[in-house]
Amino acid sequence: MAQAAAVAKPPTPPRRRRASATPRRLPYLLIAPAALLMLGFIAYPVLSVFYYSLQDYNPTKPWRNGFAGFDNFTRIFTEDPLFWGTLVFSAKWVFVEVGLQLLFGLALALIVNQTFVGRALGRALVFSPWAVSGVLTSAIWVLLYNSQTGITRYLADMGIGDYGVSWLSDTSTVFPAVVVADLWRGVPFFAILILADLQSVSRDLYEAAEVDGASRFKQFLHITLPHLKDAIILSTLLRAVWEFNNVDLLYTLTGGGPAGETTTLPLYIANTSVDAHDFGYASALTTVAFVILLFCSMVYLRLSKFGGEK
């Protein structure tokens, strides 16, 4: 009995208190109001567009309003002669603009990444057009392209061209004119993103390449470009979506003219809804544009291997 009493049972370890789930959920609870608000602002317009795309909805002709099914989509692909033309021009606009903006933006980023006197001022001047609003940009270029007081007037004073020539009214010059206007504002976007990524490249890589005898071009090809891969992919994708949806600049400069030469699909949608008040058909056009952008974005990210090994 004495030996049994001497062998005492080991003390029972204290039970751990169950960690409260509230601290883990607290960050989600804090962002929930803002997330729900953003979801409402995004989800409601998107769902309403899908809804109206299946309707005949024109406030000026209420007796025609009602469920249309897929008639609007059938009309887009089989009866609308303007849809394919505006889609082709939109693709041309995006390809030219994004390509040139990437090229000039990369060149500017490489320049302002170097050390030179007045670099801070140079960077400010390069990036300043991006701080200008789209409406103000349009107003600036409307004045520059004015046939009486703009660029053509000063060129005519120097004996280059004739007086009263309007580049925005000539089908042979309108596209280059609007491309240059949009380049002025779009190039700094690429320069900002690429410069930010350039500054994270280790100088040791370039020093090692110089020791191995690599030229500047080979350093750019094998060190700089691979490091900038994700930044270039992301910036080109974002800019392509923005350029596809660009309405303010083209609407202000040309209104889609002359003779529909600069009418993109979003501008056609805007004219269909605002001018013609055919909101059902405009919603169907918007749905088609959304599907096209979604598909192209997924294919682009897939082919470019965004986020993969550099």
Side-chain angles (χ1 to χ4, degrees), residues 31-105:
I31 66 173
L36 292 174
L37 191 62
M38 291 180 62
L39 182 63
F41 276 103
I42 296 174
Y44 175 74
V46 171
L47 293 177
S48 64
V49 166
F50 290 157
Y51 169 77
Y52 283 112
S53 67
L54 302 176
Q55 307 288 324
D56 280 328
Y57 182 67
N58 189 330
T60 63
K61 300 176 182 178
W63 58 89
R64 290 187 175 181
N65 295 344
F67 182 73
F70 292 98
D71 290 348
N72 288 327
F73 296 97
T74 303
R75 175 183 166 192
I76 290 174
F77 294 108
T78 61
E79 301 177 14
D80 192 347
L82 298 178
F83 169 73
W84 295 107
T86 57
L87 183 60
V88 170
F89 177 76
S90 297
K92 175 184 175 182
W93 170 259
V94 170
F95 181 79
V96 172
E97 278 293 340
V98 175
L100 291 178
Q101 288 177 21
L102 173 62
L103 180 64
F104 290 117

Side-chain angles (χ1 to χ4, degrees), residues 128-173:
S128 57
W130 183 247
V132 180
S133 67
V135 175
L136 185 55
T137 299
S138 302
I140 292 172
W141 285 95
V142 164
L143 294 175
L144 288 174
Y145 286 145
N146 187 284
S147 59
Q148 302 299 323
T149 59
I151 299 174
T152 55
R153 169 64 184 274
Y154 290 100
L155 291 176
D157 290 340
M158 294 185 293
I160 303 174
D162 300 325
Y163 288 99
V165 174
S166 177
W167 290 344
L168 298 178
S169 301
D170 190 340
T171 56
S172 62
T173 58

